[in-house]
Amino acid sequence: DWKCFALPISHQPPNPAIAIMPLLLWNRVLGIIAYDSTDRHRPLDNDERIMAAKLNRHMVIFTENHYLYSEKIHQERLSKEVEIARQVQTETLPSTAPAFQGFDIFGSCNPCHEISGDYYDLVPLSGGRLLVALADVSGKGLPSALFLSKLQTLVRAMAEHYVSPAQLLKFLSRHMSSEKMGSLFATMILVVLKEGSSQAVCASAGHCKPMVIRTKNGFVEEVPFEVGIPLGLFDVPEDGYLDQIIELMPSDGIMLFSDGVTDLTNAKRERFGTERIKTTLEKAPTNRASSVVYHLMNEMNQFKGKALLEDDVTMVFIKSEPQTP
C-alpha cells in the first residue's frame, strides 16, 4: 500500500554493473528491480536489458493479477457480510401487524441501498397496549444499521418499563448519548395505542410530524407538537420530550413516515414535499391501512420516475376502526 519510494543519494561514483528498472504498468510504477551484472565492472549489454525488461513485464503482470485477485476475495467477503446484515435487518421488521382490536396497522420499509438507515416496529405491551415505533438514523451503511439495531433492542427491552412514550424517549436519549456513537444520531417517533380506545399517545425526537386523515370530512392535517431533540446528540432536560394525544374518530388514520418521503426527488430535482403528501392522502382509499400506504407509494413512484432513490422510505399507517359490539 505504499504510495511513493525514494532511492538514497550516494556520493560515490555509480556502479555500472547495477541497472535499476521500474515495474511499470499503464504508467503506474508498482515497484523497482535492481539487476546486477555477473561482471562487477561491466554494465548490462543490450540482450541482458531486453531479458530484464521481459522479466519485469511478467513480474508486473503477476503482481497486478495477485492484487486484483486479493481485492476480489475481499469484495466478495464484504458482499457476503452485507447480505447477512441485510437479511438480519429484514427479519427484525414485523412480518405482519399483530391483531389489535380497534386498529388496522400496516408498515413498509424500502431501503435505497442494501442496508437501511430506517426501521419501524410494533411492540405489544401489557394492559392491551401496542407501541408503534419509527426511526431514521443519520448516514447510511453498516454503522447506521448497527446504531438502529441497538436502538431497536433497547426499545423492545425497555418499552414495558415506561408508562408514556415521552419517558421512553428520554431514557433512549440518555443511553444513546452516553454511548458516544460519534456523529451518528437518530430521529424517532413513538405512538402508544390501547385496545378499545380512540386515543393515540405520541412523542417525537426530532422526527417528521405525522399526518392525520379525518375521513369524515376528507381533511388531512399535520399534527402540531414539539418534535424534541434527536437521539444520540446530547443529554436532554427532564421535559425534553412531551406526550401528545391525538383523538381519532372511526376510520380516521395517522400516517407516520421518514424524511425519505418528503425529500424524494424526481429527475428535475423537485421535492415530493409535505403538501404533496397531504394531497395524496386526501385522495387515498381508506378501506384498509395497506391501501393508504400503497396509494402513497404509487404516487411517489410516479413522481420519482426513473430518478434514483436517494434515501430510505419508511411508512406506517394506523387506521382507527369502528368498534364492534
Side-chain angles (χ1 to χ4, degrees), residues 54-80:
K54 290 184 176 180
L55 179 60
N56 273 26
R57 183 62 180 169
H58 284 294
M59 291 188 66
V60 76
I61 292 175
F62 172 82
T63 303
E64 182 72 1
N65 286 343
H66 175 74
Y67 171 77
L68 293 175
Y69 177 75
S70 300
E71 184 68 15
K72 180 176 181 294
I73 295 297
H74 178 67
Q75 291 297 330
E76 288 180 350
R77 180 176 61 82
L78 288 180
S79 297
K80 290 180 181 178

Side-chain angles (χ1 to χ4, degrees), residues 47-225:
D47 290 341
E48 289 172 332
R49 285 184 172 275
I50 292 175
M51 289 298 296
K54 290 184 176 180
L55 179 60
N56 273 26
R57 183 62 180 169
H58 284 294
M59 291 188 66
V60 76
I61 292 175
F62 172 82
T63 303
E64 182 72 1
N65 286 343
H66 175 74
Y67 171 77
L68 293 175
Y69 177 75
S70 300
E71 184 68 15
K72 180 176 181 294
I73 295 297
H74 178 67
Q75 291 297 330
E76 288 180 350
R77 180 176 61 82
L78 288 180
S79 297
K80 290 180 181 178
E81 291 177 355
V82 169
E83 177 61 22
I84 292 172
R86 186 193 66 79
Q87 291 178 359
V88 171
Q89 188 180 62
T90 302
E91 290 173 358
T92 60
L93 295 174
S95 56
T96 57
F100 196 70
Q101 183 181 352
F103 295 94
D104 178 23
I105 304 172
F106 185 82
S108 170
C109 181
N110 185 20
C112 64
H113 300 303
E114 290 83 358
I115 301 177
S116 176
D118 290 1
Y119 103 99
Y120 76 94
D121 206 356
L122 308 174
V123 185
L125 304 174
S126 61
R129 297 177 301 142
L130 180 72
L131 174 67
V132 182
L134 194 151
D136 181 2
V137 174
S138 61
K140 300 287 186 297
L142 285 174
S144 298
L146 293 174
F147 191 100
L148 268 185
S149 178
K150 189 177 188 67
L151 186 60
Q152 184 180 32
T153 301
L154 285 172
V155 169
R156 290 185 174 183
M158 303 304 297
E160 195 69 69
H161 299 276
Y162 292 91
V163 176
S164 75
Q167 293 176 355
L168 179 56
L169 283 179
K170 184 170 67 175
F171 164 78
L172 294 173
S173 178
R174 290 181 175 177
H175 189 91
M176 300 307 287
S177 298
S178 65
E179 289 293 318
K180 307 299 181 184
M181 301 292 288
S183 60
L184 291 176
F185 64 90
T187 65
M188 191 173 206
I189 186 167
L190 300 178
V191 180
V192 174
L193 308 171
K194 186 176 176 60
E195 286 184 334
S197 174
S198 61
Q199 292 184 340
V201 184
C202 313
S204 173
H207 201 76
C208 304
K209 295 180 181 179
M211 300 280 186
V212 178
I213 300 178
R214 301 298 182 183
T215 304
K216 185 176 181 180
N217 55 20
F219 181 69
V220 177
E221 61 182 7
E222 189 175 12
V223 179
F225 65 83

Side-chain angles (χ1 to χ4, degrees), residues 240-256:
Y241 302 107
L242 301 175
D243 289 327
Q244 169 81 25
I245 297 178
I246 301 176
E247 295 284 353
L248 298 173
M249 296 295 291
S251 299
D252 285 353
I254 305 173
M255 174 62 78
L256 311 177

Side-chain angles (χ1 to χ4, degrees), residues 110 264 266 272 294-307 309 313:
N110 185 20
L264 182 78
N266 59 15
F272 193 71
Y294 287 138
H295 178 78
L296 180 55
M297 290 172 60
N298 184 58
E299 290 295 318
M300 291 172 61
N301 286 331
Q302 291 185 14
F303 173 82
K304 180 176 70 70
K306 295 182 179 180
L309 188 64
V313 174

